[in-house]
Amino acid sequence: NVTLFPYEDALRVTEAEPLVAYLASTGIVWANETSDEARAFTAHLQAILADGAFDISKYQGVFCTQV
């Protein structure tokens, strides 16, 4: 028997700059926070956040089995 114990969580985004800084730090999206793409994304996020915050959902869990 295998049982999944889920753990649902979310990250509430209330400011654009910390999210853009995190994404830039990964090196996957942009080389740095001052690139044209990062600035455009920051402006886009700021427009979204003008109405409040948004959540980035996370879903993880643990599988347990009995041997």
Side-chain angles (χ1 to χ4, degrees):
N1 290 340
V2 177
T3 305
L4 169 62
F5 294 94
Y7 179 76
E8 295 184 46
D9 196 8
L11 171 66
R12 177 161 289 266
V13 177
T14 58
E15 299 176 60
E17 291 80 6
L19 178 58
V20 172
Y22 167 73
L23 292 172
S25 76
T26 67
I28 297 170
V29 184
W30 316 287
N32 59 60
E33 299 169 53
T34 59
S35 70
D36 291 340
E37 295 87 359
R39 278 190 240 141
F41 186 67
T42 301
H44 179 71
L45 282 177
Q46 288 169 334
I48 292 170
L49 292 169
D51 294 330
F54 67 91
D55 295 330
I56 299 174
S57 61
K58 302 184 297 179
Y59 187 84
Q60 54 195 24
V62 173
F63 286 101
C64 293
T65 185
Q66 222 174 2
V67 185

